[in-house]
Amino acid sequence: MITGIIMASGFSKRMNKDKLTLDFGGVSIIEMVIKAIKESNIDEIILVYRDEKIKEIGIKNKVKTVYNDRAELGQSESIKFGINASNIETDGFMFFVGDQPFLDTSIINKLIDVFKKENTDIVAPIYKDKRGNPIIFSSKLKDQLLRIEGDDGGKSIIGNIYDEVKFVHFDNEIARLDIDTWDEYMKWRRN
């Protein structure tokens, strides 16, 4: 069983407004991400939110929502809330960022396939030559994930076992794109 955890409780500091609810061709950016995940082979989806508008989008899309009342402490808190809300039978946690609207279902499925077939604790995508999201961590790393602090996410865990990480290469470079600034939004939004 793979649990998808969407980290959607950030403060959009570089955007200066809630980027996840911005229109992206008739739906919000976060809905683009939810749609790609729902169409994939993920077994469970958890949306970790701070803003009520994000919760409403999650409910509308029939995904489990979990409130992050510690969002100011960084991305690590979204990771912890997502893990703690996951099914105890979960074999892997697949972490998604909420601002990656071009994420493709086939990428998600390929990462899941590799995780299930390979005997590895971490599976991560590389788009052209850049690492990106989503990343799968085995449930064997649960305790380590629950100990991380701040905004580092799982980078320190990846760094500790880098040689054991299974990287999966994709040519679809745009799938890696996340929307951080107003200029990026204006450049990439769909009319």
Side-chain angles (χ1 to χ4, degrees):
M1 175 176 206
I2 305 294
T3 296
I5 298 170
I6 308 169
M7 299 177 293
S9 59
F11 290 90
S12 304
K13 290 177 183 170
R14 286 179 277 181
M15 180 74 77
N16 290 324
K17 60 175 70 187
D18 189 353
K19 62 185 173 182
L20 300 183
T21 58
L22 291 174
D23 182 77
F24 210 80
V27 297
S28 64
I29 290 175
I30 189 67
E31 284 179 284
M32 297 284 292
V33 174
I34 292 170
K35 181 177 184 284
I37 299 168
K38 283 187 75 171
E39 291 174 356
S40 76
N41 296 328
I42 284 278
D43 300 296
E44 174 183 43
I45 303 172
I46 298 169
L47 175 67
V48 182
Y49 72 94
R50 177 186 51 80
D51 186 307
E52 284 294 315
K53 288 181 273 183
I54 301 297
K55 176 185 180 181
E56 290 166 14
I57 292 168
I59 291 170
K60 180 179 101 175
N61 285 279
K62 297 179 175 57
V63 298
K64 183 176 183 177
T65 59
V66 177
Y67 178 63
N68 180 355
D69 63 354
R70 297 168 53 91
E72 72 282 354
L73 298 177
Q75 190 179 71
S76 60
E77 297 307 309
S78 285
I79 290 169
K80 294 171 190 177
F81 276 103
I83 289 172
N84 287 327
S86 296
N87 187 306
I88 59 169
E89 301 295 320
T90 294
D91 299 308
F93 306 102
M94 190 171 202
F95 293 100
F96 296 86
V97 292
D99 62 350
Q100 194 175 353
F102 296 109
L103 182 62
D104 188 280
T105 300
S106 65
I107 290 171
I108 300 168
N109 288 341
K110 177 67 175 173
L111 293 168
I112 292 170
D113 288 346
V114 170
F115 179 77
K116 288 181 175 179
K117 288 177 184 163
E118 304 275 338
N119 187 21
T120 186
D121 290 334
I122 301 175
V123 175
I126 293 184
Y127 301 97
K128 295 283 186 189
D129 59 351
K130 295 181 181 162
R131 284 182 17 204
N133 290 300
I135 299 174
I136 305 175
F137 289 83
S138 166
S139 59
K140 290 185 251 175
L141 298 171
K142 178 179 179 178
D143 290 341
Q144 290 181 51
L145 288 163
L146 290 173
R147 284 194 300 269
I148 60 176
E149 301 289 334
D151 253 342
D152 240 3
K155 289 179 187 171
S156 60
I157 297 171
I158 292 171
N160 289 340
I161 59 170
Y162 189 82
D163 292 341
E164 300 170 34
V165 177
K166 178 65 179 175
F167 290 103
V168 182
H169 294 266
F170 297 98
D171 290 330
N172 184 355
E173 193 172 12
I174 197 169
R176 177 187 178 276
L177 184 76
D178 57 0
I179 306 293
D180 287 325
T181 67
W182 185 255
D183 287 343
E184 288 172 351
Y185 170 66
M186 294 303 287
K187 177 180 179 182
W188 294 106
R189 71 182 177 152
R190 294 177 174 166
N191 295 321

mmCIF file of all heavy atoms in Angstrom, residues 44-82:
data_model
loop_
_atom_site.group_PDB
_atom_site.id
_atom_site.type_symbol
_atom_site.label_atom_id
_atom_site.label_comp_id
_atom_site.label_asym_id
_atom_site.label_seq_id
_atom_site.Cartn_x
_atom_site.Cartn_y
_atom_site.Cartn_z
ATOM 1 N N GLU A 44 -4.001 5.583 -1.063
ATOM 2 C CA GLU A 44 -4.594 6.488 -0.079
ATOM 3 C C GLU A 44 -4.025 7.878 -0.333
ATOM 4 O O GLU A 44 -2.845 8.016 -0.637
ATOM 5 C CB GLU A 44 -4.208 6.003 1.332
ATOM 6 C CG GLU A 44 -4.620 6.916 2.448
ATOM 7 C CD GLU A 44 -4.142 6.426 3.816
ATOM 8 O OE1 GLU A 44 -2.983 5.978 3.944
ATOM 9 O OE2 GLU A 44 -4.953 6.508 4.750
ATOM 10 N N ILE A 45 -4.877 8.899 -0.221
ATOM 11 C CA ILE A 45 -4.420 10.282 -0.415
ATOM 12 C C ILE A 45 -4.762 11.096 0.819
ATOM 13 O O ILE A 45 -5.904 11.076 1.290
ATOM 14 C CB ILE A 45 -5.084 10.932 -1.656
ATOM 15 C CG1 ILE A 45 -4.826 10.114 -2.916
ATOM 16 C CG2 ILE A 45 -4.574 12.368 -1.840
ATOM 17 C CD1 ILE A 45 -5.612 10.578 -4.131
ATOM 18 N N ILE A 46 -3.760 11.810 1.321
ATOM 19 C CA ILE A 46 -3.943 12.690 2.476
ATOM 20 C C ILE A 46 -3.477 14.082 2.086
ATOM 21 O O ILE A 46 -2.346 14.256 1.630
ATOM 22 C CB ILE A 46 -3.151 12.178 3.695
ATOM 23 C CG1 ILE A 46 -3.675 10.795 4.115
ATOM 24 C CG2 ILE A 46 -3.248 13.175 4.853
ATOM 25 C CD1 ILE A 46 -2.813 10.092 5.128
ATOM 26 N N LEU A 47 -4.350 15.051 2.258
ATOM 27 C CA LEU A 47 -4.037 16.451 1.966
ATOM 28 C C LEU A 47 -3.797 17.164 3.296
ATOM 29 O O LEU A 47 -4.712 17.277 4.116
ATOM 30 C CB LEU A 47 -5.196 17.098 1.208
ATOM 31 C CG LEU A 47 -5.099 18.590 0.914
ATOM 32 C CD1 LEU A 47 -3.971 18.883 -0.084
ATOM 33 C CD2 LEU A 47 -6.421 19.118 0.367
ATOM 34 N N VAL A 48 -2.573 17.617 3.515
ATOM 35 C CA VAL A 48 -2.237 18.334 4.743
ATOM 36 C C VAL A 48 -2.358 19.826 4.442
ATOM 37 O O VAL A 48 -1.666 20.347 3.575
ATOM 38 C CB VAL A 48 -0.819 17.987 5.233
ATOM 39 C CG1 VAL A 48 -0.525 18.706 6.546
ATOM 40 C CG2 VAL A 48 -0.658 16.468 5.402
ATOM 41 N N TYR A 49 -3.270 20.498 5.162
ATOM 42 C CA TYR A 49 -3.604 21.882 4.840
ATOM 43 C C TYR A 49 -3.460 22.794 6.063
ATOM 44 O O TYR A 49 -3.413 22.332 7.206
ATOM 45 C CB TYR A 49 -5.041 21.968 4.309
ATOM 46 C CG TYR A 49 -6.082 21.758 5.387
ATOM 47 C CD1 TYR A 49 -6.647 22.848 6.053
ATOM 48 C CD2 TYR A 49 -6.481 20.483 5.767
ATOM 49 C CE1 TYR A 49 -7.583 22.663 7.064
ATOM 50 C CE2 TYR A 49 -7.410 20.293 6.773
ATOM 51 C CZ TYR A 49 -7.953 21.384 7.419
ATOM 52 O OH TYR A 49 -8.862 21.201 8.426
ATOM 53 N N ARG A 50 -3.431 24.085 5.801
ATOM 54 C CA ARG A 50 -3.459 25.127 6.829
ATOM 55 C C ARG A 50 -4.663 26.030 6.607
ATOM 56 O O ARG A 50 -5.316 26.461 7.530
ATOM 57 C CB ARG A 50 -2.150 25.933 6.781
ATOM 58 C CG ARG A 50 -2.067 27.089 7.755
ATOM 59 C CD ARG A 50 -0.793 27.902 7.532
ATOM 60 N NE ARG A 50 -0.586 28.304 6.156
ATOM 61 C CZ ARG A 50 -1.183 29.332 5.556
ATOM 62 N NH1 ARG A 50 -2.047 30.075 6.207
ATOM 63 N NH2 ARG A 50 -0.923 29.624 4.298
ATOM 64 N N ASP A 51 -4.950 26.298 5.345
ATOM 65 C CA ASP A 51 -6.004 27.224 4.947
ATOM 66 C C ASP A 51 -7.315 26.463 4.684
ATOM 67 O O ASP A 51 -7.312 25.426 4.008
ATOM 68 C CB ASP A 51 -5.546 27.942 3.667
ATOM 69 C CG ASP A 51 -6.476 29.045 3.227
ATOM 70 O OD1 ASP A 51 -7.686 28.787 3.083
ATOM 71 O OD2 ASP A 51 -5.990 30.161 3.011
ATOM 72 N N GLU A 52 -8.417 26.984 5.204
ATOM 73 C CA GLU A 52 -9.724 26.339 5.044
ATOM 74 C C GLU A 52 -10.116 26.150 3.573
ATOM 75 O O GLU A 52 -10.810 25.200 3.226
ATOM 76 C CB GLU A 52 -10.820 27.130 5.769
ATOM 77 C CG GLU A 52 -10.817 26.941 7.277
ATOM 78 C CD GLU A 52 -11.162 25.518 7.701
ATOM 79 O OE1 GLU A 52 -12.126 24.931 7.163
ATOM 80 O OE2 GLU A 52 -10.452 24.992 8.579
ATOM 81 N N LYS A 53 -9.666 27.080 2.702
ATOM 82 C CA LYS A 53 -9.995 26.947 1.270
ATOM 83 C C LYS A 53 -9.378 25.673 0.690
ATOM 84 O O LYS A 53 -9.976 25.017 -0.162
ATOM 85 C CB LYS A 53 -9.517 28.174 0.494
ATOM 86 C CG LYS A 53 -10.336 29.423 0.754
ATOM 87 C CD LYS A 53 -9.825 30.588 -0.053
ATOM 88 C CE LYS A 53 -8.718 31.261 0.734
ATOM 89 N NZ LYS A 53 -8.151 32.439 0.141
ATOM 90 N N ILE A 54 -8.181 25.324 1.160
ATOM 91 C CA ILE A 54 -7.522 24.100 0.698
ATOM 92 C C ILE A 54 -8.292 22.876 1.212
ATOM 93 O O ILE A 54 -8.505 21.909 0.483
ATOM 94 C CB ILE A 54 -6.054 24.064 1.170
ATOM 95 C CG1 ILE A 54 -5.275 25.281 0.651
ATOM 96 C CG2 ILE A 54 -5.383 22.755 0.744
ATOM 97 C CD1 ILE A 54 -5.154 25.384 -0.840
ATOM 98 N N LYS A 55 -8.721 22.937 2.464
ATOM 99 C CA LYS A 55 -9.519 21.839 3.020
ATOM 100 C C LYS A 55 -10.779 21.618 2.179
ATOM 101 O O LYS A 55 -11.117 20.476 1.851
ATOM 102 C CB LYS A 55 -9.917 22.153 4.463
ATOM 103 C CG LYS A 55 -10.822 21.097 5.076
ATOM 104 C CD LYS A 55 -11.297 21.502 6.455
ATOM 105 C CE LYS A 55 -12.208 20.431 7.035
ATOM 106 N NZ LYS A 55 -12.715 20.801 8.364
ATOM 107 N N GLU A 56 -11.473 22.719 1.840
ATOM 108 C CA GLU A 56 -12.700 22.609 1.044
ATOM 109 C C GLU A 56 -12.422 21.958 -0.313
ATOM 110 O O GLU A 56 -13.219 21.140 -0.787
ATOM 111 C CB GLU A 56 -13.320 23.994 0.858
ATOM 112 C CG GLU A 56 -13.900 24.567 2.140
ATOM 113 C CD GLU A 56 -14.209 26.057 2.051
ATOM 114 O OE1 GLU A 56 -14.235 26.605 0.921
ATOM 115 O OE2 GLU A 56 -14.432 26.666 3.114
ATOM 116 N N ILE A 57 -11.302 22.313 -0.918
ATOM 117 C CA ILE A 57 -10.936 21.700 -2.206
ATOM 118 C C ILE A 57 -10.695 20.204 -2.018
ATOM 119 O O ILE A 57 -11.105 19.379 -2.833
ATOM 120 C CB ILE A 57 -9.711 22.407 -2.819
ATOM 121 C CG1 ILE A 57 -10.089 23.830 -3.249
ATOM 122 C CG2 ILE A 57 -9.144 21.609 -3.990
ATOM 123 C CD1 ILE A 57 -8.921 24.720 -3.612
ATOM 124 N N GLY A 58 -10.023 19.841 -0.931
ATOM 125 C CA GLY A 58 -9.788 18.427 -0.635
ATOM 126 C C GLY A 58 -11.080 17.663 -0.446
ATOM 127 O O GLY A 58 -11.264 16.576 -1.016
ATOM 128 N N ILE A 59 -11.989 18.229 0.325
ATOM 129 C CA ILE A 59 -13.283 17.568 0.567
ATOM 130 C C ILE A 59 -14.060 17.427 -0.737
ATOM 131 O O ILE A 59 -14.622 16.371 -1.031
ATOM 132 C CB ILE A 59 -14.090 18.350 1.627
ATOM 133 C CG1 ILE A 59 -13.412 18.196 2.995
ATOM 134 C CG2 ILE A 59 -15.541 17.887 1.663
ATOM 135 C CD1 ILE A 59 -13.962 19.114 4.066
ATOM 136 N N LYS A 60 -14.070 18.491 -1.537
ATOM 137 C CA LYS A 60 -14.763 18.452 -2.829
ATOM 138 C C LYS A 60 -14.207 17.327 -3.724
ATOM 139 O O LYS A 60 -14.949 16.685 -4.461
ATOM 140 C CB LYS A 60 -14.601 19.805 -3.540
ATOM 141 C CG LYS A 60 -15.271 19.890 -4.897
ATOM 142 C CD LYS A 60 -15.088 21.253 -5.516
ATOM 143 C CE LYS A 60 -13.990 21.182 -6.535
ATOM 144 N NZ LYS A 60 -13.792 22.416 -7.293
ATOM 145 N N ASN A 61 -12.901 17.088 -3.605
ATOM 146 C CA ASN A 61 -12.252 16.058 -4.418
ATOM 147 C C ASN A 61 -12.167 14.706 -3.719
ATOM 148 O O ASN A 61 -11.468 13.805 -4.183
ATOM 149 C CB ASN A 61 -10.862 16.535 -4.843
ATOM 150 C CG ASN A 61 -10.935 17.568 -5.941
ATOM 151 O OD1 ASN A 61 -11.081 17.224 -7.107
ATOM 152 N ND2 ASN A 61 -10.872 18.847 -5.571
ATOM 153 N N LYS A 62 -12.864 14.599 -2.573
ATOM 154 C CA LYS A 62 -12.989 13.331 -1.848
ATOM 155 C C LYS A 62 -11.642 12.744 -1.416
ATOM 156 O O LYS A 62 -11.400 11.538 -1.577
ATOM 157 C CB LYS A 62 -13.791 12.320 -2.673
ATOM 158 C CG LYS A 62 -15.218 12.774 -2.928
ATOM 159 C CD LYS A 62 -15.962 11.755 -3.777
ATOM 160 C CE LYS A 62 -17.408 12.093 -3.955
ATOM 161 N NZ LYS A 62 -17.732 13.348 -4.523
ATOM 162 N N VAL A 63 -10.763 13.608 -0.880
ATOM 163 C CA VAL A 63 -9.520 13.122 -0.294
ATOM 164 C C VAL A 63 -9.534 13.439 1.200
ATOM 165 O O VAL A 63 -10.193 14.382 1.650
ATOM 166 C CB VAL A 63 -8.259 13.704 -0.971
ATOM 167 C CG1 VAL A 63 -8.198 13.308 -2.434
ATOM 168 C CG2 VAL A 63 -8.180 15.208 -0.824
ATOM 169 N N LYS A 64 -8.817 12.638 1.944
ATOM 170 C CA LYS A 64 -8.717 12.841 3.392
ATOM 171 C C LYS A 64 -7.927 14.118 3.662
ATOM 172 O O LYS A 64 -6.882 14.347 3.044
ATOM 173 C CB LYS A 64 -8.004 11.639 4.013
ATOM 174 C CG LYS A 64 -7.893 11.684 5.513
ATOM 175 C CD LYS A 64 -7.247 10.388 6.012
ATOM 176 C CE LYS A 64 -7.178 10.351 7.510
ATOM 177 N NZ LYS A 64 -6.611 9.055 7.982
ATOM 178 N N THR A 65 -8.438 14.956 4.556
ATOM 179 C CA THR A 65 -7.762 16.211 4.883
ATOM 180 C C THR A 65 -7.313 16.203 6.340
ATOM 181 O O THR A 65 -8.013 15.689 7.215
ATOM 182 C CB THR A 65 -8.682 17.423 4.626
ATOM 183 O OG1 THR A 65 -9.863 17.295 5.420
ATOM 184 C CG2 THR A 65 -9.055 17.534 3.155
ATOM 185 N N VAL A 66 -6.132 16.768 6.584
ATOM 186 C CA VAL A 66 -5.568 16.850 7.926
ATOM 187 C C VAL A 66 -5.054 18.266 8.132
ATOM 188 O O VAL A 66 -4.263 18.773 7.330
ATOM 189 C CB VAL A 66 -4.417 15.837 8.106
ATOM 190 C CG1 VAL A 66 -3.785 15.978 9.490
ATOM 191 C CG2 VAL A 66 -4.896 14.411 7.884
ATOM 192 N N TYR A 67 -5.504 18.881 9.212
ATOM 193 C CA TYR A 67 -5.109 20.254 9.525
ATOM 194 C C TYR A 67 -3.730 20.296 10.171
ATOM 195 O O TYR A 67 -3.442 19.549 11.104
ATOM 196 C CB TYR A 67 -6.142 20.901 10.453
ATOM 197 C CG TYR A 67 -5.784 22.308 10.859
ATOM 198 C CD1 TYR A 67 -5.688 23.323 9.917
ATOM 199 C CD2 TYR A 67 -5.529 22.618 12.191
ATOM 200 C CE1 TYR A 67 -5.360 24.609 10.297
ATOM 201 C CE2 TYR A 67 -5.210 23.914 12.577
ATOM 202 C CZ TYR A 67 -5.115 24.903 11.614
ATOM 203 O OH TYR A 67 -4.781 26.180 11.988
ATOM 204 N N ASN A 68 -2.873 21.173 9.656
ATOM 205 C CA ASN A 68 -1.527 21.373 10.195
ATOM 206 C C ASN A 68 -1.521 22.653 11.019
ATOM 207 O O ASN A 68 -1.479 23.750 10.480
ATOM 208 C CB ASN A 68 -0.508 21.463 9.046
ATOM 209 C CG ASN A 68 0.909 21.667 9.521
ATOM 210 O OD1 ASN A 68 1.178 21.839 10.708
ATOM 211 N ND2 ASN A 68 1.835 21.663 8.582
ATOM 212 N N ASP A 69 -1.573 22.503 12.334
ATOM 213 C CA ASP A 69 -1.561 23.678 13.207
ATOM 214 C C ASP A 69 -0.141 24.085 13.616
ATOM 215 O O ASP A 69 0.043 24.934 14.479
ATOM 216 C CB ASP A 69 -2.422 23.435 14.451
ATOM 217 C CG ASP A 69 -1.906 22.303 15.324
ATOM 218 O OD1 ASP A 69 -0.942 21.614 14.920
ATOM 219 O OD2 ASP A 69 -2.485 22.089 16.407
ATOM 220 N N ARG A 70 0.846 23.479 12.974
ATOM 221 C CA ARG A 70 2.248 23.780 13.265
ATOM 222 C C ARG A 70 3.003 24.154 11.976
ATOM 223 O O ARG A 70 4.216 23.990 11.888
ATOM 224 C CB ARG A 70 2.905 22.582 13.946
ATOM 225 C CG ARG A 70 2.281 22.253 15.299
ATOM 226 C CD ARG A 70 2.716 20.898 15.844
ATOM 227 N NE ARG A 70 4.143 20.717 15.896
ATOM 228 C CZ ARG A 70 4.913 21.012 16.944
ATOM 229 N NH1 ARG A 70 4.378 21.528 18.020
ATOM 230 N NH2 ARG A 70 6.210 20.789 16.895
ATOM 231 N N ALA A 71 2.275 24.670 11.007
ATOM 232 C CA ALA A 71 2.853 24.963 9.690
ATOM 233 C C ALA A 71 4.023 25.932 9.764
ATOM 234 O O ALA A 71 4.946 25.857 8.947
ATOM 235 C CB ALA A 71 1.776 25.505 8.753
ATOM 236 N N GLU A 72 3.993 26.845 10.735
ATOM 237 C CA GLU A 72 5.075 27.834 10.844
ATOM 238 C C GLU A 72 6.420 27.177 11.164
ATOM 239 O O GLU A 72 7.474 27.803 10.995
ATOM 240 C CB GLU A 72 4.734 28.896 11.900
ATOM 241 C CG GLU A 72 4.787 28.427 13.337
ATOM 242 C CD GLU A 72 3.576 27.620 13.803
ATOM 243 O OE1 GLU A 72 2.597 27.489 13.037
ATOM 244 O OE2 GLU A 72 3.616 27.106 14.939
ATOM 245 N N LEU A 73 6.420 25.901 11.572
ATOM 246 C CA LEU A 73 7.662 25.195 11.898
ATOM 247 C C LEU A 73 8.307 24.552 10.672
ATOM 248 O O LEU A 73 9.375 23.951 10.779
ATOM 249 C CB LEU A 73 7.407 24.141 12.976
ATOM 250 C CG LEU A 73 6.916 24.701 14.316
ATOM 251 C CD1 LEU A 73 6.627 23.571 15.292
ATOM 252 C CD2 LEU A 73 7.923 25.680 14.907
ATOM 253 N N GLY A 74 7.677 24.669 9.519
ATOM 254 C CA GLY A 74 8.282 24.183 8.284
ATOM 255 C C GLY A 74 7.626 22.942 7.712
ATOM 256 O O GLY A 74 6.704 22.353 8.297
ATOM 257 N N GLN A 75 8.137 22.530 6.557
ATOM 258 C CA GLN A 75 7.599 21.415 5.787
ATOM 259 C C GLN A 75 7.594 20.110 6.586
ATOM 260 O O GLN A 75 6.757 19.232 6.365
ATOM 261 C CB GLN A 75 8.434 21.253 4.518
ATOM 262 C CG GLN A 75 7.872 20.312 3.503
ATOM 263 C CD GLN A 75 8.753 20.228 2.284
ATOM 264 O OE1 GLN A 75 9.840 19.664 2.342
ATOM 265 N NE2 GLN A 75 8.298 20.798 1.191
ATOM 266 N N SER A 76 8.532 19.987 7.511
ATOM 267 C CA SER A 76 8.617 18.758 8.301
ATOM 268 C C SER A 76 7.308 18.462 9.026
ATOM 269 O O SER A 76 6.948 17.291 9.221
ATOM 270 C CB SER A 76 9.764 18.854 9.308
ATOM 271 O OG SER A 76 9.561 19.951 10.180
ATOM 272 N N GLU A 77 6.584 19.493 9.415
ATOM 273 C CA GLU A 77 5.330 19.267 10.137
ATOM 274 C C GLU A 77 4.269 18.661 9.229
ATOM 275 O O GLU A 77 3.492 17.808 9.660
ATOM 276 C CB GLU A 77 4.830 20.564 10.775
ATOM 277 C CG GLU A 77 5.781 21.124 11.818
ATOM 278 C CD GLU A 77 6.165 20.124 12.899
ATOM 279 O OE1 GLU A 77 5.257 19.508 13.499
ATOM 280 O OE2 GLU A 77 7.377 19.955 13.149
ATOM 281 N N SER A 78 4.231 19.070 7.957
ATOM 282 C CA SER A 78 3.307 18.442 7.003
ATOM 283 C C SER A 78 3.632 16.963 6.848
ATOM 284 O O SER A 78 2.736 16.115 6.760
ATOM 285 C CB SER A 78 3.391 19.132 5.636
ATOM 286 O OG SER A 78 2.751 20.375 5.648
ATOM 287 N N ILE A 79 4.912 16.663 6.794
ATOM 288 C CA ILE A 79 5.350 15.270 6.678
ATOM 289 C C ILE A 79 4.843 14.467 7.877
ATOM 290 O O ILE A 79 4.260 13.391 7.723
ATOM 291 C CB ILE A 79 6.891 15.212 6.568
ATOM 292 C CG1 ILE A 79 7.330 15.769 5.203
ATOM 293 C CG2 ILE A 79 7.412 13.790 6.784
ATOM 294 C CD1 ILE A 79 8.822 16.001 5.068
ATOM 295 N N LYS A 80 5.038 15.000 9.069
ATOM 296 C CA LYS A 80 4.633 14.292 10.293
ATOM 297 C C LYS A 80 3.121 14.107 10.368
ATOM 298 O O LYS A 80 2.635 13.013 10.697
ATOM 299 C CB LYS A 80 5.142 15.048 11.523
ATOM 300 C CG LYS A 80 6.658 15.049 11.632
ATOM 301 C CD LYS A 80 7.120 15.979 12.738
ATOM 302 C CE LYS A 80 8.619 16.173 12.700
ATOM 303 N NZ LYS A 80 9.089 17.137 13.712
ATOM 304 N N PHE A 81 2.364 15.184 10.070
ATOM 305 C CA PHE A 81 0.907 15.070 10.123
ATOM 306 C C PHE A 81 0.415 14.040 9.103
ATOM 307 O O PHE A 81 -0.485 13.253 9.389
ATOM 308 C CB PHE A 81 0.235 16.427 9.872
ATOM 309 C CG PHE A 81 0.120 17.276 11.099
ATOM 310 C CD1 PHE A 81 0.977 18.343 11.300
ATOM 311 C CD2 PHE A 81 -0.845 17.015 12.063
ATOM 312 C CE1 PHE A 81 0.878 19.136 12.438
ATOM 313 C CE2 PHE A 81 -0.953 17.794 13.203
ATOM 314 C CZ PHE A 81 -0.082 18.863 13.396
ATOM 315 N N GLY A 82 0.996 14.052 7.916
ATOM 316 C CA GLY A 82 0.596 13.093 6.887
ATOM 317 C C GLY A 82 0.887 11.662 7.292
ATOM 318 O O GLY A 82 0.037 10.769 7.146
#
